[in-house]
Amino acid sequence: MYRLDPRHAPAPGSVLATGWPAVAARLPRGSATVAVEGPPTADWDGLAARLAAELRAYGITVVPLDLRAHHAPPAEVRRRTDDTDDPYFCRLAENTLRELFDDLPTPPGPRGRELVLVYGPGAALLPHDVLWYADLPKRYAEAAVAAGTGHNLGLPHGAGDLRRLFYIDWPVLDRHRDTLAPGVDGWLDVQDPDRPTWIDGDGLRATLAALARRPVRTRPYFNSTPWGGHWAQRELGFGPGARNTALGYELIAPEAGVLIGPHAEQQAEIPFQLLCVLHPDALLGPQVRARFGTSFPIRFDYLDTVGGGDLSVHCHPKEPYMRERFGWPYTQHETYYMTLGSPDTRVFLGLREDADIDLFRKEIEEAAHDGVPMDPADHVLTFPAEQGRLFLIPAGTPHASGAGNLVLEISATPYLYSLRFYDWLRPDADGRPRQLPYEHGLANLETGRRGDAVARDLVQEPRTLRHGTGWREELIGALDEMFYEVRRHVLDVDAELPDDTAGRFHVLNVVEGEGVLLRTAAGERLTLARAETLTVPAAVGPYRLTAIGDAPVKVVKALVRAQTGAPRPRTGA
């Protein structure tokens, strides 16, 4: 059965505390300076007030220092972090968090039974005796900014902006958090503002060290969008009150979290990225780490249009454009695996042989500026979205999933660069026209691969790589220009298939059947159910999959291809 909240046990000796009284009890009893770091989305005023109230019971006076009041002036923060007038994207910020301040304040020295509490983004920049990190997963920041209640980093009093959040705030915050992870004294999950959960720093690092060497599943969630469907609501139980379940975050490394704790009432969600930062060779493998640094390069997500609409027709940046214009060292190659589809639903992919690019541009512009509808199929090929089919989507290729499909999107990690050409004239959730960065799209449009070459290169037939009693492994998609490939394990009832990471991580997803039992050479046992995604770290080495249930099982696997030539290594997310 699909698990909405897969949890992992903390390492032996880890200390978990839940609720403000238990959390405050982990603080020094006065005469110390405590820095509490974290993203701007956290309720910093509430956190400081609750800790102060709890410590009064011990006769301790809290002297607060809110670092949000000490940022450089708003105009200066904007000048230092964003030098482009592009309304859709900006180059990923390379700033340090320190650059968002002019002069940092000097915290007062604690006297007697005083505890100086420095809190807010950048608190670790000041001298301190104890360092905690108070975290909210990124989905909270995105939701708050979209709702008009969230603020951007360094701009605590202005209305938040998603563009700044994605391309400035998150890169700066991620790098800062990653540098603190080896020395943080405690990690505080504040998703429930009335009942936070804290884990000690040593226990956190010991748990991450163990998880980097055994199969790990991240916490899934779904977003709603104007095109979204309802499959995940009906089949998985996600968001029954939401408008739809459009984009399913199975494993998108910069946002993914790992739940650590014994049960739902005592768990902390830790960024998956910390596994890459603290244990890159164990998780990624030395060869992958040499190519990608500490950036986890493959993502798995769902595109749910079952009962929904067509996605926008769009493409993604080619590598030189991605690197030079946006600052990410590798590009957004994608694939669509049709977990659910039919001969009657469709996928848009690649240009028609007779596509007229000038006419394509003209119709895009008329749709964007004058609201004139167009038919993308006049320019872009369509294919039947047959269940089990994989479509390869190298950067620059126009594409979209049609309505009525459940796509398992197996892609390179960059995920915030959809260069939309056409979005069916539909508004966003607030009734405003959806953004159409079509000039970026046209600048990256791959015009050379069209017509028959699209079907030949991008819609490949499975090829058996190896087989045994009751099982086979197929290669279902690979291109020289794409750094990863997609394979599929096919297992008969009760069949057992041997595999080996051989120094490169694997990502698995059960696409048909009840599921599999995974057993590692180290003795780990884990059941993976239909629709679930699992990361098998490089350090796992040999493992075996056994089909469970009374029907055959199919498991999709993605891995970085063994080849030389590389994007420059990247640290952080």
Side-chain angles (χ1 to χ4, degrees):
M1 181 178 179
Y2 187 93
R3 290 157 291 185
L4 302 179
D5 57 349
R7 277 180 295 277
H8 300 270
S14 301
V15 179
L16 272 77
T18 298
W20 286 111
V23 167
R26 310 307 305 183
L27 286 169
R29 295 293 189 264
S31 192
T33 297
V34 175
V36 184
E37 264 283 357
T41 319
D43 178 9
W44 291 108
D45 294 331
L47 179 148
R50 293 299 297 265
L51 288 177
E54 296 296 338
L55 288 174
R56 279 197 295 270
Y58 298 103
I60 298 169
T61 299
V62 169
V63 180
L65 175 55
D66 184 350
L67 212 59
R68 295 173 299 172
H70 297 274
H71 286 293
E76 184 62 14
V77 169
R78 291 189 177 93
R79 186 194 69 79
R80 293 176 188 178
T81 54
D82 183 10
D83 61 357
T84 177
D85 57 2
D86 186 331
Y88 308 111
F89 310 102
C90 56
R91 186 177 176 84
L92 291 174
E94 298 180 356
N95 306 79
T96 64
L97 188 51
R98 175 66 179 85
E99 292 175 61
L100 275 62
F101 298 88
D102 288 333
D103 297 323
L104 290 170
T106 301
R111 296 175 299 177
R113 292 183 64 77
E114 285 184 347
L115 186 146
V116 175
L117 181 65
V118 184
Y119 61 94
L125 299 171
L126 273 61
H128 53 268
D129 302 302
V130 175
L131 174 61
W132 284 9
Y133 197 94
D135 195 39
L136 269 177
K138 288 179 177 176
R139 59 184 178 273
Y140 288 87
E142 183 174 356
V145 170
T149 59
H151 305 288
N152 288 119
L153 181 65
L155 303 168
H157 304 296
D161 171 65
L162 287 173
R163 176 179 168 277
R164 284 192 65 88
L165 180 72
F166 296 156
Y167 308 111
I168 297 172
D169 297 2
W170 285 354
V172 173
L173 287 165
D174 286 354
R175 282 194 298 274
H176 186 65
R177 176 205 64 204
D178 293 351
T179 63
L180 300 178
V184 70
D185 297 299
W187 187 278
L188 185 62
D189 181 328
V190 292
Q191 292 181 64
D192 184 342
D194 295 321
R195 202 167 184 273
T197 294
W198 179 91
I199 182 171
D200 69 297
D202 289 340
L204 169 69
R205 285 181 287 273
T207 302
L208 293 174
L211 290 176
R213 292 164 174 83
R214 63 180 188 235
V216 60
R217 175 155 165 73
T218 56
R219 181 181 195 169
Y221 73 99
F222 275 77
N223 275 348
S224 295
T225 73
W227 48 261
H230 305 280
W231 178 86
Q233 287 172 313
R234 298 167 184 161
E235 299 296 325
L236 304 181
F238 270 103
R243 288 183 299 121
N244 54 56
T245 42
L247 179 61
Y249 288 62
E250 279 289 305
L251 175 63
I252 300 182
E255 294 193 35
V258 180
L259 291 175
I260 297 173
H263 47 71
E265 288 71 39
Q266 190 175 55
Q267 63 185 23
E269 185 170 347
I270 309 300
F272 176 81
Q273 177 61 25
L274 293 186
L275 290 167
C276 304
V277 169
L278 297 176
H279 305 284
D281 284 346
L283 182 69
L284 301 170
Q287 291 183 356
V288 177
R289 190 242 183 121
R291 295 176 67 187
F292 295 97
T294 58
S295 178
F296 193 87
I298 293 177
R299 64 184 170 95
F300 274 45
D301 59 86
Y302 283 118
L303 305 176
D304 177 3
T305 63
V306 178
D310 299 320
L311 269 67
S312 65
V313 179
H314 61 287
C315 74
H316 300 294
K318 296 180 181 179
E319 187 159 305
Y321 200 94
M322 179 72 92
R323 184 172 57 249
E324 296 161 13
R325 185 68 177 258
F326 298 141
W328 198 295
Y330 61 99
T331 197
Q332 194 168 342
H333 297 307
E334 296 188 334
T335 68
Y336 281 0
Y337 184 88
M338 308 311 299
T339 299
L340 288 178
S342 75
D344 299 323
T345 58
R346 60 183 177 172
V347 166
F348 295 84
L349 180 68
L351 290 172
R352 290 170 46 140
E353 186 67 49
D354 60 354
D356 182 328
I357 303 304
D358 291 334
L359 179 59
F360 190 35
R361 170 185 279 276
K362 178 176 180 293
E363 292 186 5
I364 289 169
E365 292 175 341
E366 289 176 346
H369 300 299
D370 302 320
V372 178
M374 64 178 288
D375 185 354
D378 290 341
H379 311 278
V380 179
L381 290 166
T382 64
F383 294 86
E386 298 174 351
Q387 184 172 337
R389 174 68 71 182
L390 183 80
F391 298 92
L392 296 164
I393 312 169
T397 304
H399 65 282
S401 171
N405 298 323
L406 179 69
V407 173
L408 176 62
E409 189 175 46
I410 305 165
S411 309
T413 287
Y415 65 113
L416 294 172
Y417 303 93
S418 291
L419 313 179
R420 299 189 188 101
F421 300 112
Y422 182 66
D423 198 32
W424 313 96
L425 305 184
R426 73 184 145 211
D428 64 16
D430 298 319
R432 298 169 298 199
R434 295 189 82 202
Q435 291 186 337
L436 290 172
Y438 65 83
E439 289 288 359
H440 285 295
L442 290 167
N444 284 275
L445 181 63
E446 176 53 62
T447 60
R449 182 182 277 135
R450 55 172 72 203
D452 292 343
V454 174
R456 181 192 66 230
D457 296 342
L458 307 187
V459 191
Q460 301 177 0
E461 294 299 322
R463 289 156 280 171
T464 298
L465 297 176
R466 59 192 183 100
H467 60 88
T469 302
W471 64 267
R472 68 182 183 275
E473 180 176 16
E474 304 170 329
L475 177 64
I476 59 174
L479 279 178
D480 287 344
E481 63 206 85
M482 296 173 65
F483 67 80
Y484 65 96
E485 63 187 40
V486 183
R487 303 181 184 183
R488 182 170 59 197
H489 295 317
V490 182
L491 297 90
D492 292 340
V493 176
D494 294 331
E496 184 175 86
L497 180 151
D499 209 341
D500 192 331
T501 61
R504 292 173 288 157
F505 72 88
H506 293 173
V507 184
L508 309 179
N509 179 281
V510 178
V511 292
E512 289 186 41
E514 184 175 329
V516 291
L517 171 65
L518 185 150
R519 291 175 293 172
T520 71
E524 299 281 348
R525 295 169 61 91
L526 188 146
T527 299
L528 190 66
R530 183 172 183 268
E532 290 187 333
T533 300
L534 187 73
T535 301
V536 184
V540 166
Y543 65 95
R544 307 182 80 83
L545 300 177
T546 302
I548 57 178
D550 56 5
V553 176
K554 294 182 180 179
V555 180
V556 160
K557 177 176 78 175
L559 69 161
V560 175
R561 301 177 68 198
Q563 60 183 30
T564 57
R568 293 192 301 271
R570 178 180 181 82
T571 57

